[in-house]
């Protein structure tokens, strides 16, 4: 049994390293999912809000320029704060191991030594195998403190799909609103509300005329 010890230990260490690499990829996906969902959940509602306000009050060109500057500022700020940092997010095995240990008392003092910090000689193969089984996707999610990552993505995609549906159902309205917000110097005008009021008045006059 003794000759097989080093081979078993090396195999378990390779499996553990593979598990940590999978955890690294999962952590990156979680961060990306949360970031994209959070970004969409803020940028799209801001766009819809500004278009709705302009539809209600028919703002002049100057105010619409301010709206455009405010929306672009929000877009750039969220991009730099939420999306841009993901480019450099590449957690190491040691970092993932530390996060796992801090988040799960059952793994404390057992993950980092296996990564190769000079204490692997004191770790029995059975212990390494047990730690490998303890690490799962749920452990990594809690260790990364991501919260409902999928929830943010669903919310952001919900806003995006809703906006696309409104654009399909009311293409003229969305086209006018987008033009007035993103190209405020162009004289794009909302349909006159008086047209609806005139139709209502004509219909009421025709009814009373019969008397």
């Amino acid at each position: 049994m003794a000759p097989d010890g080093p081979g078993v230990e090396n195999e378990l260490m390779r499996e553990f390293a593979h598990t940590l690499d999978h955890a690294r990829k999962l952590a990156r996906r979680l961060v990306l999912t949360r970031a994209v969902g959070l970004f969409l959940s803020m940028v799209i509602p801001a766009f819809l809000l500004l278009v709705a306000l302009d539809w209600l009050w028919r703002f002049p060109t100057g105010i619409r320029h301010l709206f455009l500057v405010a929306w672009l500022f929000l877009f750039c700020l969220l991009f730099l704060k939420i999306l841009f940092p993901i480019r450099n997010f590449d957690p190491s095995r040691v970092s993932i191991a530390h996060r796992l240990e801090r988040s799960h008392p059952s793994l404390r003092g057992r993950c980092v030594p296996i990564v190769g910090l000079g204490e692997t000689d004191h770790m029995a193969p059975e212990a390494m195998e047990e730690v490998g089984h303890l690490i799962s996707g749920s452990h990594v999610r809690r260790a990364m403190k991501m919260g409902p990552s999928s929830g943010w993505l669903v919310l952001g995609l919900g806003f995006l799909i809703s906006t696309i549906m409104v654009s399909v159902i009311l293409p003229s309205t969305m086209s006018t609103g987008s033009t007035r917000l993103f190209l405020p110097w162009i004289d794009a005008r909302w349909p006159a509300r008086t047209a609806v009021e005139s139709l209502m008045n004509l219909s009421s006059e025709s009814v009373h005329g019969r008397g």
Side-chain angles (χ1 to χ4, degrees):
M1 183 174 180
D4 296 334
V8 173
E9 183 176 348
N10 291 334
E11 180 64 25
L12 290 174
M13 289 189 67
R14 283 194 295 269
E15 291 181 1
F16 185 76
H18 176 73
T19 302
L20 282 182
D21 288 338
H22 174 72
R24 293 170 60 196
K25 294 179 182 178
L26 178 59
R28 187 172 177 83
R29 284 200 302 269
L30 288 171
V31 171
L32 179 62
T33 298
R34 181 179 182 275
V36 171
L38 191 59
F39 181 79
L40 294 177
S41 300
M42 293 184 177
V43 169
I44 296 178
F47 161 74
L48 295 176
L49 176 63
L50 293 177
V51 170
L53 291 176
D54 185 47
W55 181 81
L56 287 173
W57 283 289
R58 316 294 170 101
F59 292 112
T61 302
I63 295 181
R64 285 189 281 121
H65 272 89
L66 294 178
F67 277 7
L68 176 60
V69 171
W71 190 86
L72 290 176
F73 175 79
L74 177 66
F75 183 94
C76 294
L77 178 65
L78 294 177
F79 180 85
L80 292 176
K81 292 289 186 179
I82 297 177
L83 294 181
F84 189 74
I86 299 176
R87 181 177 60 92
N88 298 322
F89 181 77
D90 187 20
S92 64
R93 293 176 181 174
V94 176
S95 175
I96 293 294
H98 276 295
R99 284 179 177 269
L100 288 168
E101 287 192 1
R102 286 197 299 267
S103 302
H104 304 281
S106 61
L107 299 175
R108 194 158 297 165
R110 306 170 72 180
C111 286
V112 175
I114 301 178
V115 177
L117 297 184
E119 300 179 19
T120 51
D121 294 338
H122 304 289
M123 184 71 70
E126 294 81 3
M128 285 192 290
E129 186 175 7
E130 181 183 358
V131 173
H133 287 308
L134 284 173
I135 299 177
S136 63
S138 60
H139 283 71
V140 177
R141 287 183 178 88
R142 281 182 286 173
M144 296 304 297
K145 298 180 181 179
M146 293 307 302
S149 300
S150 57
W152 280 113
L153 184 62
V154 169
L155 182 62
L157 291 178
F159 280 121
L160 180 61
I161 294 173
S162 300
T163 304
I164 294 174
M165 290 179 63
V166 172
S167 300
V168 172
I169 297 172
L170 302 171
S172 177
T173 300
M174 287 300 295
S175 176
T176 301
S178 301
T179 302
R180 286 176 61 86
L181 177 62
F182 296 125
L183 303 172
W185 53 88
I186 294 180
D187 188 21
R189 299 186 180 183
W190 293 107
R193 295 172 183 166
T194 53
V196 178
E197 296 176 357
S198 300
L199 289 175
M200 293 177 64
N201 292 333
L202 287 174
S203 61
S204 60
E205 289 176 1
S206 63
V207 171
H208 292 295
R210 295 182 180 179

